[in-house]
């Protein structure tokens, strides 16, 4: 058995807001720098992309699909009737064509230029049944984001309600950029399901592709082995999940869906926590002050959950009533069974980390991650030390120090969970403090 670094959810230029430069060559270039061994095709049911993949991937006899020595798994994301996104993995092109044919009558955009992430008018259990019948694997995508996700506000609070009798055919749950194992294992009902941490990449660059990934322990880089590992059968398993600290995600804290300000609570000993009109509004935050900010926040989020809280900033500025929405942090508080995560024994460790480009950028205090200086240092790191994933996860810190002390220090803080973070929310990514 060997370890493979795997990213099982990306998109193609046939989904909106995806880079036009994303193609097999640019993807493979990034995979080699980062150390991604197995990557998803993205958008495999979209006809043009399907044909492109079929014409270019080299098919090996044991179900392996190769392009320039990088392994591919056929994959798409589908939006169901309940506006929930699901990640779908397929064993081969025959299965992809079969599923495409089955879903065509239920979708207006599946066969279109922009059908990369098709909307299919089937209930979650019906969609699960179709994917299963085609020999594929399916599970909820970015399960905790406030949009288009199974656990979003006013939607489901567990898997059973959503998938009903078809739940046994749901093989995994994708954590998404806004959640990790520590958040998800606060829900009792997720004890038995395997978690995936995938990038959901919309571009070919190293800040996007593989920004979250899984490490699988399998025999060969093909669909059958991935299937066995997800189901934890015959010794195959996922041995590591890696991804963004949820606090860096775009939807961590409560926010106003209109002005995108985040709602936070701070302690103020002079005031009573019942007085919720003690707040301050600035460009990015609405800060409430309370004697006990935790209790005040918990009471507040209950009202937000009921859809009862109006954004005070928008009310002042626009004279309109826009509602506050729960972030991932508050939503998990509403639907979790435990205050602290309880990891089942099969759960692999989770490492919270950000892409190396972002670390370099932060250390050098450079705004753009597309900066030439950052790019040069990144490539220099890879040349001297090997792949990005080995630098971030495996290489002794001492080795990294020999190239750059500052960067080595930040990587070490991430590995040990000692990084200071400014939380994200309302569509704005969080930031690390150095
Ligand atoms: Zn999605
Ligand atoms: Zn607002």
């Amino acid at each position: 058995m060997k370890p493979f670094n795997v990213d099982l959810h990306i998109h193609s230029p046939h989904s909106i807001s995806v880079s036009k430069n994303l193609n097999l060559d640019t993807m493979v270039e990034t995979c080699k720098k980062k150390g991604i061994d197995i990557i998803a095709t993205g958008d495999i049911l979209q006809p043009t992309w399907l044909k492109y993949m079929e014409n270019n991937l080299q098919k090996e006899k044991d179900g392996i699909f190769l392009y320039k020595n990088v392994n591919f798994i056929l994959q798409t994301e589908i939006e169901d009737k309940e506006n929930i996104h699901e990640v779908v993995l397929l064993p081969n092109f025959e299965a992809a064509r079969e599923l495409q044919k089955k879903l065509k009558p239920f979708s207006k955009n599946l066969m279109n230029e922009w059908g990369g992430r098709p909307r299919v008018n089937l209930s979650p259990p019906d969609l699960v049944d179709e994917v299963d019948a085609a020999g594929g694997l399916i599970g909820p995508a970015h399960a905790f984001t406030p949009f288009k996700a199974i656990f979003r506000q006013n939607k489901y609070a567990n898997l059973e309600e959503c998938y009903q009798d078809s739940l046994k055919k749901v093989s995994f749950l994708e954590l998404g950029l806004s959640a990790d194992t520590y958040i998800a294992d606060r829900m009792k009902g997720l004890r038995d399901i395997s978690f995936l941490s995938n990038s959901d990449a919309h571009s070919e660059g190293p800040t996007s592709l593989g920004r979250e990934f899984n490490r699988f322990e399998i025999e060969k880089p093909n669909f059958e082995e991935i299937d066995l590992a997800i189901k934890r059968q015959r010794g195959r398993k996922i041995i590591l999940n890696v991804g963004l600290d949820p606090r860096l995600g775009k939807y961590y804290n409560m926010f106003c869906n209109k002005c995108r300000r985040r709602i936070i609570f701070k302690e103020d000993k002079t005031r009573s926590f019942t007085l919720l009109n003690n707040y301050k509004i600035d460009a990015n935050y609405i800060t409430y002050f309370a004697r006990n900010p935790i209790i005040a926040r918990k009471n507040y989020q209950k009202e937000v959950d009921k859809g009862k809280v109006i954004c005070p900033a928008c009310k002042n500025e626009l004279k309109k009533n826009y509602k506050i929405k729960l972030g991932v942090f508050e939503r998990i508080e509403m639907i979790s069974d435990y205050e602290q995560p309880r990891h089942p024994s099969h759960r692999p460790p989770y490492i919270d980390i950000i892409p190396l480009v972002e670390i370099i950028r932060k250390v050098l205090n450079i705004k753009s991650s597309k900066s030439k200086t950052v790019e040069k240092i990144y490539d220099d790191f890879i040349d001297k030390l090997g792949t990005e994933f080995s630098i971030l996860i495996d290489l002794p810190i001492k080795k990294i120090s020999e190239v750059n002390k500052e960067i080595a220090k930040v990587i070490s803080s991430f590995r040990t969970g000692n990084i200071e973070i400014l939380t994200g929310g309302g569509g704005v990514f969080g930031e690390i403090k150095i």
Side-chain angles (χ1 to χ4, degrees), residues 9 77 85 117 141-142 200:
H9 179 183
E77 182 183 41
H85 286 182
R117 183 203 296 106
H142 42 76
D200 200 350

Side-chain angles (χ1 to χ4, degrees), residues 255-261 263 286 310-315 317-318 320-324:
F255 62 101
C256 165
N257 206 12
K258 182 68 184 176
C259 69
R260 297 274 165 161
R261 284 184 179 91
I263 315 289
I286 300 167
I310 303 297
C311 171
C314 285
K315 203 176 163 72
E317 288 165 11
L318 309 167
K320 283 223 169 99
N321 292 341
Y322 291 106
K323 280 182 186 152
I324 303 295

